[in-house]
Amino acid sequence: MSVFPWVAWYALRRYTAYPLSSVAESVTNTAFAFMRAYVLLALWQARPALGGYDVTDAITFCFLTQAMIGPVQIFRGLELSDRIRSGDVAIDLYRPVGLQGWWLADDLGRATAELLLRSGLPMVAGMLVFTLRPAGPWALAAFALALPLAVLVSFAIRYLVALAAFWLHDDRGLQAIALVMSLFFSGMILPLVVFPGWLGGIARALPWAALIQVPADIYLGKRTGSDLVAALGFQAAWAVALLAAGALLTVAARRKLVIHGG
Amino acid sequence: MIEVAGVGKSFTVRRRAGRIRRSRTTVAAVDDVSFEVAAGEFVGYLGPNGAGKSTTIKMLTGILTPSSGSVRVCGLDPSRQRTTLARRIGVVFGQRTTLWWDLPLRDSLTLIRHLYRVDAAAHRARLAELTGLLELGPFLDTPVRQLSLGQRMRGDLAAALLHDPELLVLDEPTIGLDVVSKATVREFLARLNSERGTTILLTTHDLGDIERLCRRVMIIDHGRLAYDGDLSRLRATVDAGRMLVVEFARPCPPISLPDVIVERVQGPRQWLRLPRTANAAAVVAALADRHEVRDIALRDADIEDVVARLYRQVGTLAK
């Protein structure tokens, strides 16, 4: 058997090893969900039907996306960045398996762990306080495909950012830019449906839309039929393109490699 | 087992040379190094920090591609056939770990079994053997983050040896270990080499490792191989002796005594090098006769002294 399922399984165990810290993060996500919810509530009361959402859509979007922060990893990069900076990546590069596959397996295990430990509380809290839109069985099934695709695209982006550390002596600037991009263009700060004109068009075409906006729309039942296929296709296409870019960059990184710290 | 012929590795370093312009300089980390290691040998690879030891090891394991020359390990080209090679060699980077920080040691070793595709029965036997030899039993089920450095190092050694490699490459495996842990690790390595016939290449700053384990020593400095041969011959050629640090009551001119070389003078302090054959007591008595002595310290020359001295006599060493 390939080693990758084991890597994913170990990552899952590693990320569930400290449940208290996961609960703390989950509480934070939930607290911010309420703050966002009241801002969105004010916005949609002033502008009903903004971007094709009603108030219930907007509130559901808010709690759902707060629940997705953990698995889709909006705020953090890959641990690989630290390992490149410290030189521990030598260990990763020496292993008889590919670097990207190894870290992808690790990230899938991590995402599963965070889905289990961090995603429940925001959804339950939202349902208790507000009326959330329940997803139909088809929407839920489609969402179950869209969420792993969102994790794949998220991984692919974070992997590219991490690999840049092989070329940059300090990657903190790039990490900061990556954070802003993923917060803003995923729809995390404001749903991308409210972005007007060409800005909205661009935002919805960029890969970050595949992280939050597209899966959330699928959950809300905004994408059905051929539109649903297009939405999943959009996510899959970005995943394939970015993972391929990551594979090419891995080859280039191996070729030029300077491992910091001997 | 290892054939290295005329290998060099250079890195490009960019420096600011004005507001926008950057100048590029090429730094040779390893320069025209050649050596061979036969199956069953136990070779020590020494050199000061930045000498090129780790770079050499990274080329041998396929992590770095040489800029020039050729490297063959187990008959393979490391950078092109890295994956095949990794299944036949074991590597321990003393300052890094292959183990999972948050999980028990046993779990890391299980994952490594899958990484190297060792079948379950062979793994069980090998793990039992290594557990006995490295005394892993008491902490097999402890999370790695709770292990002491000595325990972690033994765990890393087990991880590198589970797939029974022909060649073991160790990059400073005893760094930071206490005397007892060092002894355990050295004892284990000696047996691995003599009983199992595993070829071992060891880099270290610890002369004790070398003295205890290696018949053959290679020394690298500034990227070039400065010595390759017997340990005993190295000792004979390079008598680095001992260092006597004397603090006089007041600054005085460099001491002139037979057999004594003044290495450094700093205010009232002088660093005197004594050959191994010199009588330290007599030297101290002679010093006290001439000047008022405040303090005295005597220590053995360390690896840096040996290498530094080696470099001054590099012409007299037959390669």
Side-chain angles (χ1 to χ4, degrees):
Chain A
M1 193 167 96
S2 153
V3 72
F4 293 136
W6 285 91
V7 175
W9 168 238
Y10 275 45
L12 194 154
R13 290 185 43 206
R14 203 150 61 85
Y15 279 90
T16 47
Y18 305 102
L20 264 183
S21 110
S22 303
V23 168
E25 286 177 305
S26 176
V27 169
T28 312
N29 294 156
T30 309
F32 273 93
F34 281 100
M35 287 158 65
R36 273 180 73 203
Y38 286 108
V39 172
L40 294 181
L41 212 54
L43 182 60
W44 257 269
Q45 270 162 3
R47 298 274 305 275
L50 176 64
Y53 279 18
D54 61 20
V55 174
T56 312
D57 286 335
I59 299 296
T60 310
F61 180 91
C62 167
F63 282 92
L64 177 71
T65 56
Q66 286 294 124
M68 288 170 65
I69 286 178
V72 181
Q73 200 77 333
I74 294 297
F75 287 93
R76 267 178 242 152
L78 277 184
E79 216 182 309
L80 176 62
S81 308
D82 303 330
R83 290 179 67 86
I84 295 172
R85 215 176 302 135
S86 71
D88 281 350
V89 71
I91 300 258
D92 300 338
L93 290 171
Y94 161 71
R95 287 192 190 106
V97 290
L99 186 72
Q100 194 181 26
W102 179 277
W103 283 96
L104 175 58
D106 183 84
D107 202 53
L108 293 177
R110 177 206 57 75
T112 312
E114 306 218 66
L115 181 69
L116 294 174
L117 289 177
R118 283 177 66 179
S119 297
L121 188 63
M123 286 307 278
V124 171
M127 282 179 216
L128 290 177
V129 177
F130 298 94
T131 317
L132 300 192
R133 186 172 304 295
W138 282 110
L140 214 52
F143 181 73
L145 283 176
L147 186 61
L149 284 171
V151 174
L152 274 185
V153 176
S154 159
F155 166 79
I157 294 173
R158 286 176 293 129
Y159 183 77
L160 287 171
V161 172
L163 276 200
F166 279 118
W167 284 270
L168 304 171
H169 278 284
D170 191 337
D171 65 335
R172 276 173 295 187
L174 186 66
Q175 295 281 359
I177 293 171
L179 172 65
V180 170
M181 297 298 276
S182 92
L183 267 179
F184 192 73
F185 286 109
S186 65
M188 202 65 222
I189 291 196
L190 266 184
L192 298 183
V193 291
V194 309
F195 286 25
W198 59 269
L199 180 61
I202 291 174
R204 285 188 288 274
L206 291 174
W208 290 280
L211 305 186
I212 294 289
Q213 185 66 46
V214 171
D217 274 344
I218 289 174
Y219 183 93
L220 291 172
K222 304 280 173 202
R223 318 282 300 250
T224 50
S226 62
D227 197 25
L228 173 62
V229 176
L232 293 172
F234 170 79
Q235 285 186 297
W238 271 121
V240 168
L242 293 170
L243 287 173
L248 286 177
L249 204 63
T250 310
V251 174
R254 276 197 190 275
R255 203 168 294 147
K256 91 137 268 175
L257 193 61
V258 177
I259 295 175
H260 303 299
Chain B
M1 190 62 72
I2 304 177
E3 295 154 54
V4 173
V7 157
K9 176 73 191 178
S10 44
F11 296 106
T12 309
V13 180
R14 286 198 189 84
R15 272 203 203 87
R16 266 169 176 270
R19 244 169 229 281
I20 297 160
R21 277 190 314 125
R22 298 273 191 283
S23 72
R24 286 166 155 243
T25 32
T26 308
V27 179
V30 170
D31 188 11
D32 194 20
V33 166
S34 301
F35 61 85
E36 279 182 26
V37 175
E41 274 196 277
F42 199 140
V43 181
Y45 193 37
L46 321 181
N49 291 326
K53 294 191 302 290
S54 290
T55 305
T56 312
I57 286 203
K58 280 169 190 152
M59 289 192 285
L60 292 179
T61 52
I63 298 174
L64 287 176
T65 314
S67 314
S68 57
S70 87
V71 179
R72 308 288 289 180
V73 180
C74 301
L76 302 168
D77 177 345
S79 57
R80 293 231 177 87
Q81 296 161 290
R82 183 181 58 85
T83 316
T84 321
L85 180 64
R87 295 186 192 285
R88 293 177 59 183
I89 65 174
V91 182
V92 174
F93 297 99
Q95 308 196 56
R96 318 189 187 285
T97 183
T98 45
L99 307 170
W100 273 255
W101 213 238
D102 306 302
L103 300 177
L105 175 59
R106 184 190 296 280
D107 293 3
S108 287
L109 299 179
T110 304
L111 193 120
I112 281 160
R113 155 167 119 72
H114 294 290
L115 182 59
Y116 289 100
R117 301 198 187 119
V118 181
D119 70 70
H123 176 76
R124 221 173 299 124
R126 188 88 176 118
L127 181 60
E129 186 190 349
L130 289 168
T131 303
L133 289 173
L134 288 162
E135 296 162 38
L136 306 178
F139 52 89
L140 257 183
D141 295 300
T142 311
V144 172
R145 66 162 66 247
Q146 291 169 23
L147 299 185
S148 73
L149 188 59
Q151 292 171 330
R152 204 216 75 205
M153 184 49 63
R154 282 184 273 157
D156 262 308
L157 274 170
L161 291 166
L162 274 172
H163 61 294
D164 202 8
E166 303 155 46
L167 168 71
L168 179 63
V169 180
L170 302 161
D171 194 357
E172 302 185 20
T174 56
I175 195 163
L177 297 191
D178 64 43
V179 183
V180 179
S181 302
K182 262 185 200 168
T184 316
V185 168
R186 285 177 191 160
E187 169 74 12
F188 171 76
L189 293 175
R191 286 185 66 177
L192 185 73
N193 176 247
S194 62
E195 290 172 18
R196 210 170 182 97
T198 307
T199 312
I200 301 180
L201 180 68
L202 166 77
T203 84
T204 184
H205 285 298
D206 192 322
L207 265 184
D209 289 348
I210 300 290
E211 277 169 279
R212 171 78 177 74
L213 296 168
C214 307
R215 283 169 296 271
R216 177 179 162 198
V217 183
M218 300 190 292
I219 297 184
I220 190 170
D221 197 20
H222 293 96
R224 285 175 164 275
L225 208 56
Y227 179 84
D228 182 355
D230 282 356
L231 182 59
S232 49
R233 192 163 65 90
L234 176 69
R235 198 48 71 56
T237 346
V238 189
D239 177 9
R242 287 159 296 171
M243 188 72 84
L244 183 68
V245 187
V246 200
E247 189 176 334
F248 296 108
R250 61 195 68 79
C252 47
I255 294 298
S256 153
L257 278 173
D259 281 351
V260 173
I261 304 157
V262 181
E263 289 274 324
R264 225 173 118 202
V265 179
Q266 191 185 67
R269 240 185 246 178
Q270 298 195 8
W271 279 256
L272 313 176
R273 182 183 297 285
L274 312 181
R276 234 159 246 292
T277 48
N279 180 344
V283 172
V284 172
L287 289 174
D289 259 2
R290 299 177 185 199
H291 303 281
E292 191 185 333
V293 175
R294 270 239 179 95
D295 197 9
I296 264 180
L298 182 64
R299 63 175 172 81
D300 267 334
D302 53 25
I303 186 70
E304 272 75 16
D305 292 328
V306 173
V307 172
R309 245 185 111 66
L310 175 72
Y311 260 78
R312 271 178 241 138
Q313 338 182 329
V314 80
T316 68
L317 280 174
K319 234 190 133 180

